[in-house]
Amino acid sequence: MKKNVIITIGRQFGSGGHEVGKRLSDRLGIPLYDRNLIQMATKEMGLLPDQSDEGQLSKEVFQIQSDLIRKLADKEPCIIIGRCADYILEGRHTCLNAFVYAEIRDRIHRIMRIYNLNEEEAWEKIKKTDAERKEYYEKHTGNTWGSIESHQMLFNVSLMDIQDVVDTLAAMYRARR
């Protein structure tokens, strides 16, 4: 019997973690969930996506998102980017928890290219986004964002190509099924 293997991917902003998830989703033919979980949660709350202030509704949105993540994990194999999914699905033996990071110079260049920013603007965007992700994760989990204690695997894409990360996670996914 095949199992619902779930891959969770935490990531630093600009590391390429979302790209890893997208490529992996395409390769394995399984759904990818990311910011769309916020939209799904606010819809379940009866709000329009632009009505939700994630900060104001943080506790409610987090609880509904958590319930959605558990339902999705029970329903089918999938990849979940961020949203504290590693914490929410803690203890499931069919869950692979990865964290993608990169050297700051590589992250700055990636953000400059993607968002058409200069170096200073990219650096500011990275600092702001990483601070928000860290605060969100630690507030809801009590764990340290990006730590080895919260993730089975840490991938430095400055040393390992994004495609190699995808290949590694795909092989691990297949081994767990």
Side-chain angles (χ1 to χ4, degrees):
M1 181 175 147
K2 293 194 176 198
K3 304 173 208 158
N4 286 346
V5 176
I6 311 303
I7 300 171
T8 69
I9 302 175
R11 75 272 181 240
Q12 289 180 321
F13 186 66
S15 66
H18 196 276
E19 184 179 342
V20 167
K22 177 70 176 112
R23 286 187 191 185
L24 194 55
S25 172
D26 291 344
R27 171 162 328 155
L28 298 175
I30 61 175
L32 171 76
Y33 299 100
D34 53 12
R35 291 193 61 77
N36 57 355
L37 285 167
I38 296 171
Q39 295 165 338
M40 294 167 74
T42 55
K43 183 179 178 185
E44 197 159 306
M45 293 173 73
L47 300 172
L48 297 173
D50 60 342
Q51 287 179 306
S52 80
D53 176 347
E54 194 176 350
Q56 184 181 16
L57 299 174
S58 181
K59 203 172 196 175
E60 288 177 78
V61 171
F62 181 78
Q63 187 56 55
I64 291 171
Q65 265 185 173
S66 298
D67 293 342
L68 283 169
I69 287 169
R70 287 184 200 96
K71 285 178 192 174
L72 292 168
D74 289 341
K75 178 181 167 191
E76 63 186 345
C78 61
I79 298 163
I80 304 171
I81 306 285
R83 319 314 323 156
C84 304
D86 60 297
Y87 174 80
I88 294 163
L89 299 175
E90 189 173 43
R92 291 187 185 219
H93 298 291
T94 58
C95 196
L96 299 170
N97 300 315
F99 190 86
V100 178
Y101 66 104
E103 303 300 324
I104 191 62
R105 68 182 182 284
D106 296 329
R107 294 167 62 206
I108 288 172
H109 288 110
R110 182 180 183 82
I111 295 304
M112 287 171 64
R113 186 179 72 249
I114 291 171
Y115 294 98
N116 195 28
L117 300 174
N118 67 37
E119 190 170 337
E120 184 179 332
E121 292 167 331
W123 172 234
E124 290 302 318
K125 190 167 183 68
I126 288 168
K127 284 193 304 189
K128 181 180 185 295
T129 304
D130 276 355
E132 289 169 353
R133 287 180 180 174
K134 180 179 178 3
E135 178 184 357
Y136 181 86
Y137 185 86
E138 292 180 0
K139 172 183 172 183
H140 291 294
T141 69
N143 295 336
T144 303
W145 180 66
S147 71
I148 195 65
E149 289 81 17
S150 299
H151 303 88
Q152 298 155 333
M153 301 157 282
L154 302 177
F155 293 103
N156 183 341
V157 296
S158 292
L159 302 175
M160 183 178 191
D161 185 75
I162 284 178
Q163 193 55 50
D164 292 334
V165 175
V166 172
D167 293 344
T168 301
L169 288 171
M172 293 182 78
Y173 171 85
R174 289 187 182 106
R176 286 272 173 109
R177 295 208 27 119

